[in-house]
């Protein structure tokens, strides 16, 4: 448990450092998270870090059990008129260990996927720890899209990581050989999580269709 929080805290601090020199208008750059700007995603991360089990239950009830509305309310609450204040709030919550009632590994998914939601449109690169990335990818593959995962997106394909020995194949036998999708652990995590990836990040006979599906999520 402590190992996961150590990684999450480091990722929050690293993201804040990456955003420290952004010009104010750059915060309005569309992120990879559909409908949200870079500023919105940072506000979401602040809200996520401040969420407690009891607080989550109350907010979900007020949002009439609409998770999208819940997230929008959180962004509106934590997004400040001055982006520098939102950034400072991200720094101030970077060491928190509160969470919504969800498996702790989801904090890794949030840190990595939302980190790339922000960094990629801004042209910022980061090298993430491979072990925690794999934990996040495995969680997404085991979790339905209805609960924030990507199990259905990966149905019918074989996934092969090019930077580890990770190999995933459909649980049910198929009449024909399942198409293969190869890429880095990060690229596979993003695609399974419904994010578009860069041209050439995925290859294999299933890559083209899988990337289109990912971009639609």
């Amino acid at each position: 448990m402590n190992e996961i929080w150590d990684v999450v805290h480091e990722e929050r601090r690293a993201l804040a450092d990456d955003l420290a020199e952004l010009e104010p208008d750059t915060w309005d750059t569309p992120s990879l998270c559909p409908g949200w700007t870079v500023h919105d995603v940072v506000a979401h991360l602040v809200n996520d870090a401040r969420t407690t089990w009891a607080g989550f239950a109350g907010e979900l009830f007020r949002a009439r059990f609409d998770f999208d509305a819940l997230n929008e309310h959180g962004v509106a609450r934590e997004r400040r008129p001055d982006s520098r204040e939102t950034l400072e709030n991200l720094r101030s919550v970077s060491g928190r260990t509160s969470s919504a009632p969800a498996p702790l590994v989801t904090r890794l998914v949030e840190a990595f996927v939302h980190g790339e939601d922000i960094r990629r449109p801004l042209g910022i690169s980061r090298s993430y720890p491979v072990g925690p990335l794999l934990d996040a990818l495995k969680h997404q593959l085991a979790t339905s899209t209805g609960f924030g995962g990507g199990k259905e997106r990966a149905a019918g394909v074989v996934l092969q990581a090019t930077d580890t020995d990770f190999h995933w194949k459909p649980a049910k036998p198929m009449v024909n050989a399942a198409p293969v999708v190869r890429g880095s652990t990060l690229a596979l995590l993003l695609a399974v999580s419904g994010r578009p990836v860069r041209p050439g990040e995925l290859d294999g006979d299933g890559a083209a269709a899988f990337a289109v599906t990912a971009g639609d999520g």
Side-chain angles (χ1 to χ4, degrees), residues 12-13 16-18 20 86-95:
R12 289 172 180 167
R13 290 190 290 266
D17 288 344
D18 283 346
T86 307
L87 179 60
E88 185 54 38
N89 286 342
L90 178 62
R91 290 192 187 280
S92 71
V93 302
S94 62

Side-chain angles (χ1 to χ4, degrees), residues 32 34 113 140 149-150 153 188-196 213-217:
L32 295 187
V113 175
Q140 293 297 80
R153 295 188 184 99
L188 294 177
L189 172 62
L190 291 175
V192 167
S193 300
R195 300 308 197 268
T213 302
D216 291 342

Side-chain angles (χ1 to χ4, degrees), residues 102-114 117 132-155 159 166 168 185-195 210 217:
L104 189 55
V105 68
T106 60
R107 302 308 91 199
L108 294 175
V109 176
E110 288 271 309
F112 298 141
V113 175
H114 285 321
D117 283 339
L133 273 178
L134 271 175
D135 290 339
L137 174 58
K138 290 174 183 177
H139 172 78
Q140 293 297 80
L141 286 169
T143 305
S144 170
T145 55
F147 289 94
K151 184 177 181 179
E152 292 83 356
R153 295 188 184 99
L159 301 181
F166 177 76
W168 186 91
T185 306
L186 177 59
L188 294 177
L189 172 62
L190 291 175
V192 167
S193 300
R195 300 308 197 268
F210 186 62

